[in-house]
Amino acid sequence: MIRQWTTPSGAAVLAGLAWLRFATAIAVPSTPPSGSVTVDPSLISISIEFFAFPGYTNISGTNNCLNNLADLRGATPAIRIGGTTQDRATYDPNLQSAVNYTVADPADAPASLTYGPSFFTLAGKLPVDDVTIGLNRQLNHESNSLAAGTLALSEMTNFFAVELGNEPDLYSSSSPIAANTGWSNSIDISNEGKWFTDMAPTLGNVFQGAVYLSWSTATLVSRIGSAALSTIKSISRHSYPQSACNGASTNLTQLMRHPGIVSYVNQFKTDANSSRSAGKHFFFGETNSATCGGGGISPTFGAALWIVDYALQSALIGVERLYFHHGTIGNCAYCWWGKQAVYSPYFGAIFVSDFLGADGATLAQLDDSTSDIAAYAVYSASGAPLRVLLSNSAYFAGTGARANATVALTTSGLPRTSARAKRMTAPDATARADLGAPVTIGGNGTFSADCVAQGTQQMEEVAVGDDGSLTVSLLASEAVIVYL
Ligand SMILES: *[C@@H]1O[C@H](CO)[C@@H](O)[C@H](O)[C@H]1NC(C)=O
Ligand SMILES: *[C@@H]1O[C@H](CO)[C@@H](O)[C@H](O)[C@H]1NC(C)=O
Ligand SMILES: *[C@@H]1O[C@H](CO)[C@@H](O)[C@H](O)[C@H]1NC(C)=O
Ligand SMILES: *[C@@H]1O[C@H](CO)[C@@H](O)[C@H](O)[C@H]1NC(C)=O
Ligand SMILES: *[C@@H]1O[C@H](CO)[C@@H](O)[C@H](O)[C@H]1NC(C)=O
Ligand SMILES: *[C@@H]1O[C@H](CO)[C@@H](O)[C@H](O)[C@H]1NC(C)=O
């Protein structure tokens, strides 16, 4: 649905506009085209590292940032509480505080911790409808995790699911559950199955299975057996396009570029298909730009553009929700907010939520994944086109000329006399809102340090040709929503 604009049909009107000949033409079908998908209202969701979760409830930005997303979508994000430290945690029914641990440096994650009943009181108070709790399997204390799960179920009206273990593909021989087993994918599958079927009589069929970083979740779905499969509610796959572990180098140009996002996400098609065809939800149950807390690329405006494209592309292959991970408060490069700070990536989460809106039901990709320009349309439940999102994913570092692409949207069946657009932009792809760079939505929209929307978002008038086509220009590293 993309072609170079060689013979503009509104030739008389367009004659003076020489630049239009270089426009990328994108057709917006008047009904959802083949390949369109239904979008979960909680597509944009949040993961919070287990030990850090009580601290997040003590930050005023948390509820504000969640509520801003919910307002745009007309449904709350979902939250998953878990991560590496879920597998280091022991439930203590007598502990007065929500968590207890000691760290040498506040930037560290604890090597072990305990948590008490009030952990679930706090989780139950989160202003969201679905909370998934990640419990320990690594320490092989099945009755302890069952006691915690039982309390979660009774305390939390927003309870959604329970995970047992985080990234078991990384368990080593020092993991009690894996010791002397020759730990492998097939051993994990039978172990998950055993724990699920042991606990299901008490907890119900509420398990989020797999929780894999590198193993195929399709293998688990096909091999776990019907008894265990029937206890599974959702399948979680963790997804990080890049690694920042042990000083590994990251690359923002590659993170944000549209064709790269498409090919990265496509590797998960088999996993998504196998879950969905087994009747299980399929989630990126923990995701973000780079492993090990993120790297230098993670807090940037380029990462905001990545979130927009990555989330929509994931939805198209059958990922129902993406839980963007939030780690140690004050030491988290990819976080969307922290104590008295909102970071650039949050702008991407807001912008894609604005595009999908409360009325967006069906999503379609309009471009052919070969250029820097990404184009998506969202349709109402009755199949009417509502909005188009355009992103120019070319990396602009802040020096030299900033490329300026022109897109002509042909709205067949939809001749327009006017249309408006809203732009998300920044001085360049490396811009950091937390360091004062003007990352903006609608020219003037930003967020206060505790995540309250600031400024008035301005709409732009879109140029409309005689044939009803809409022309929009996008600088490198910039995105626009066109309201049809
Ligand atoms: C909550 O925040 C206050 C102010 O920053 C801090 O003094 C307190 O220790 C925090 N409590 C928890 C449980 O994180
Ligand atoms: C909290 O954990 C520390 C070790 O990190 C331990 O010494 C202390 O007794 C624990 N407190 C409670 C109330 O369990
Ligand atoms: C990032 O990748 C791009 C494209 O592959 C390459 O041109 C660039 O040099 C890389 N940047 C860094 C900092 O390695
Ligand atoms: C996934 O399912 C869709 C729709 O049924 C199909 O078009 C696609 O080829 C499948 N992909 C894989 C990798 O199985
Ligand atoms: C980008 O191109 C459009 C169309 O020619 C023009 O209206 C706009 O001013 C340009 N933007 C910049 C920043 O050069
Ligand atoms: C928003 O507009 C106000 C008032 O004109 C101005 O002071 C402020 O700098 C603008 N903010 C941004 C981020 O452009």
Side-chain angles (χ1 to χ4, degrees):
M1 266 161 277
I2 183 165
R3 64 190 163 82
Q4 280 312 118
W5 188 291
T6 45
T7 52
S9 49
V13 171
L14 302 174
L17 304 175
W19 54 268
L20 245 192
R21 273 188 262 121
F22 305 105
T24 296
I26 291 176
V28 185
S30 51
T31 56
S34 81
S36 301
V37 295
T38 302
V39 185
D40 190 294
S42 305
L43 177 69
I44 305 297
S45 286
I46 307 286
S47 170
I48 301 179
E49 184 61 41
F50 192 92
F51 86 96
F53 160 65
Y56 275 95
T57 66
N58 191 35
I59 293 177
S60 51
T62 298
N63 280 6
N64 292 334
C65 274
L66 294 171
N67 290 338
N68 293 336
L69 293 167
D71 287 348
L72 289 167
R73 288 290 274 132
T76 68
I79 291 183
R80 171 261 191 171
I81 302 169
T84 309
T85 58
Q86 85 187 54
D87 267 335
R88 300 175 182 176
T90 299
Y91 176 57
D92 175 356
N94 300 312
L95 187 70
Q96 295 302 300
S97 58
V99 279
N100 180 43
Y101 57 84
T102 309
V103 285
D105 183 312
D108 292 346
S112 79
L113 70 148
T114 57
Y115 61 104
S118 62
F119 191 93
F120 299 114
T121 313
L122 291 176
K125 285 184 186 155
L126 284 166
V128 304
D129 293 335
D130 288 350
V131 178
T132 294
I133 300 284
L135 299 175
N136 195 322
R137 189 159 50 97
Q138 195 249 153
L139 291 177
N140 203 12
H141 293 159
E142 189 174 341
S143 60
N144 185 265
S145 290
L146 178 58
T150 305
L151 189 67
L153 192 62
S154 67
E155 282 293 294
M156 296 167 55
T157 55
N158 54 13
F159 174 88
F160 181 79
V162 161
E163 290 177 357
L164 296 169
N166 177 73
E167 299 176 0
D169 26 5
L170 301 184
Y171 290 173
S172 70
S173 53
S174 64
S175 299
I177 191 103
N180 306 315
T181 63
W183 191 252
S184 64
N185 194 359
S186 61
I187 291 174
D188 175 73
I189 291 169
S190 54
N191 188 251
E192 287 200 44
K194 178 185 185 307
W195 281 49
F196 295 162
T197 49
D198 284 354
M199 294 192 191
T202 310
L203 300 182
N205 298 332
V206 295
F207 299 100
Q208 175 147 295
V211 200
Y212 290 162
L213 180 63
S214 58
W215 288 338
S216 152
T217 66
T219 304
L220 179 136
V221 169
S222 65
R223 296 201 190 152
I224 199 164
S226 58
L229 191 62
S230 67
T231 71
I232 292 178
K233 186 170 187 178
S234 49
I235 292 290
S236 165
R237 169 77 206 219
H238 291 185
S239 163
Y240 288 90
Q242 294 191 22
S243 170
C245 298
N246 307 315
S249 67
T250 51
N251 186 309
L252 187 56
T253 312
Q254 291 173 14
L255 180 77
M256 57 188 276
R257 191 160 183 264
H258 178 54
I261 290 171
V262 175
S263 61
Y264 173 81
V265 167
N266 278 344
Q267 73 182 294
F268 300 105
K269 268 185 175 171
T270 305
D271 278 359
N273 275 22
S274 81
S275 292
R276 302 292 293 277
S277 53
K280 310 300 174 187
H281 295 294
F282 183 74
F283 301 144
F284 283 161
E286 184 189 304
T287 190
N288 223 318
S289 45
T291 48
C292 291
I297 62 170
S298 299
T300 64
F301 181 63
L305 292 164
W306 165 73
I307 286 166
V308 171
D309 201 354
Y310 171 65
L312 297 176
Q313 206 50 236
S314 299
L316 287 169
I317 64 132
V319 180
E320 296 169 81
R321 296 176 178 173
L322 298 90
Y323 292 78
F324 287 88
H325 198 53
H326 286 64
T328 311
I329 297 165
N331 182 24
C332 184
Y334 50 48
C335 277
W336 291 356
W337 71 92
K339 206 182 274 184
Q340 289 303 304
V342 171
Y343 302 102
S344 294
Y346 183 69
F347 288 74
I350 284 290
F351 200 66
V352 72
S353 299
D354 196 343
F355 164 63
L356 293 169
D359 53 355
T362 309
L363 175 72
Q365 182 174 352
L366 305 181
D367 70 283
D368 63 3
S369 310
T370 58
S371 83
D372 289 337
I373 307 287
Y376 299 93
V378 68
Y379 294 81
S380 70
S382 60
L386 298 171
R387 291 171 289 278
V388 169
L389 183 135
L390 300 170
S391 180
N392 184 346
S393 70
Y395 174 70
F396 177 61
T399 53
R402 190 171 186 175
N404 183 5
T406 301
V407 176
L409 295 174
T410 57
T411 53
S412 149
L414 257 188
R416 311 296 309 191
T417 51
S418 70
R420 298 190 309 161
K422 189 190 282 186
R423 191 172 300 264
M424 177 172 78
T425 194
D428 61 76
T430 68
R432 289 183 54 169
D434 61 311
L435 299 183
V439 179
T440 57
I441 294 175
N444 203 256
T446 61
F447 298 92
S448 69
D450 57 0
C451 213
V452 175
Q454 307 288 296
T456 306
Q457 296 184 8
Q458 313 283 349
M459 295 289 226
E460 303 169 14
E461 286 301 322
V462 175
V464 183
D466 256 8
D467 60 351
S469 67
L470 311 173
T471 59
V472 179
S473 69
L474 293 132
L475 298 177
S477 305
E478 191 171 77
V480 169
I481 300 168
V482 180
Y483 296 78
L484 298 174

